[in-house]
């Protein structure tokens, strides 16, 4: 197992809590201090769970790999991915590898999703030959409520199905 800055051991011992907000100060990884509990309880912390975590004090980049789970209570965000990178100097988080994000009941799924923290904005891109999938909860009092046994919606495909040629092939006897 890779250990850099003792993060892998730190993560296991302290319930895998990484206070990313401390990275902006250039300290590298924030070790739980007496006020860390207050930051977690008031929602200012982002909790990252993963198999491996590495931090680079020079670049301010934290990388989490393997079964990544992110919890950001201040913005009601939960996410899963294969890898996450937090770029503290730019204020962005890049999630890659089968990414799934939930925020206030809305969901987005893609291969790469970038979250711009200051803007509160997501940018999602799919795998090659695939699409990004989003489900949004909208306020529509007129919309009918689904039944418990409702079938999932079928994907919409505006492209017509491939059809066979209408004419017979021309065979030349030349």
């Amino acid at each position: 197992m890779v250990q850099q800055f003792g993060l892998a051991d730190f993560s296991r011992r302290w319930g895998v809590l990484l206070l990313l907000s401390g990275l902006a100060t250039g300290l590298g990884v924030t070790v739980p201090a007496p006020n860390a509990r207050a930051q977690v309880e008031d929602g200012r912390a982002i909790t990252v769970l993963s198999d491996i975590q590495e931090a680079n004090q020079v670049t301010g980049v934290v990388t989490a790999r393997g079964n990544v789970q992110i919890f950001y209570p201040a913005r009601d965000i939960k996410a899963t991915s294969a890898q996450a990178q937090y770029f503290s100097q730019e204020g962005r988080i890049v999630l890659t590898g089968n990414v799934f994000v939930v925020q206030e009941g809305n969901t987005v799924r893609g291969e790469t999703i970038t979250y711009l923290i200051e803007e509160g904005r997501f940018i999602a891109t799919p795998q090659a030959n695939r699409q990004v999938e989003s489900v949004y909860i909208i306020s529509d009092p007129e919309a009918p409520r689904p039944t418990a046994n409702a079938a999932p919606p079928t994907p919409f495909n505006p492209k017509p199905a491939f059809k066979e040629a209408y004419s017979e092939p021309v065979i030349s006897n030349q």
Side-chain angles (χ1 to χ4, degrees), residues 32-63:
N35 67 347
R37 177 63 54 203
Q39 290 175 353
V40 170
E41 291 171 357
D42 74 4
R44 290 185 288 164
I46 296 175
T47 303
V48 178
L49 303 166
S50 67
D51 295 339
I52 297 171
Q53 295 183 18
E54 301 172 350
N56 184 319
Q57 289 180 310
V58 175
T59 63
V61 177
V62 175
T63 302

Side-chain angles (χ1 to χ4, degrees), residues 20-28 30 88:
L20 295 175
S21 59
L23 288 173
T25 64
L27 297 176
T30 303
S88 64

Side-chain angles (χ1 to χ4, degrees), residues 7-167:
L7 264 180
D9 187 52
F10 166 79
S11 298
R12 264 190 253 94
R13 222 179 285 153
W14 291 96
V16 200
L17 176 63
L18 180 63
L19 299 175
L20 295 175
S21 59
L23 288 173
T25 64
L27 297 176
V29 174
T30 303
V31 176
N35 67 347
R37 177 63 54 203
Q39 290 175 353
V40 170
E41 291 171 357
D42 74 4
R44 290 185 288 164
I46 296 175
T47 303
V48 178
L49 303 166
S50 67
D51 295 339
I52 297 171
Q53 295 183 18
E54 301 172 350
N56 184 319
Q57 289 180 310
V58 175
T59 63
V61 177
V62 175
T63 302
R65 290 191 314 267
N67 302 307
V68 177
Q69 298 175 54
I70 296 177
F71 303 94
Y72 188 14
R75 299 207 179 156
D76 194 20
I77 297 172
K78 296 174 188 149
T80 60
S81 65
Q83 177 175 294
Q85 286 190 296
Y86 171 61
F87 297 85
S88 64
Q89 296 174 358
E90 294 136 30
R92 70 184 162 101
I93 299 171
V94 178
L95 304 158
T96 54
N98 194 25
V99 183
F100 184 67
V101 177
V102 178
Q103 184 180 32
E104 298 175 1
N106 302 309
T107 65
V108 63
R109 183 182 303 273
E111 181 60 21
T112 301
I113 297 179
T114 301
Y115 180 60
L116 305 175
I117 298 168
E118 292 296 317
E119 298 176 34
R121 183 167 62 109
F122 291 98
I123 302 166
T125 57
Q127 280 184 322
N129 302 318
R130 305 281 310 261
Q131 293 181 309
V132 171
E133 175 188 291
S134 298
V135 177
Y136 298 100
I137 308 299
I138 59 172
S139 177
D140 184 356
E142 302 297 318
R145 301 286 179 208
T147 61
N149 296 331
T154 54
F156 171 70
N157 185 359
K159 298 177 186 174
F162 179 76
K163 297 183 179 178
E164 297 294 323
Y166 290 111
S167 60

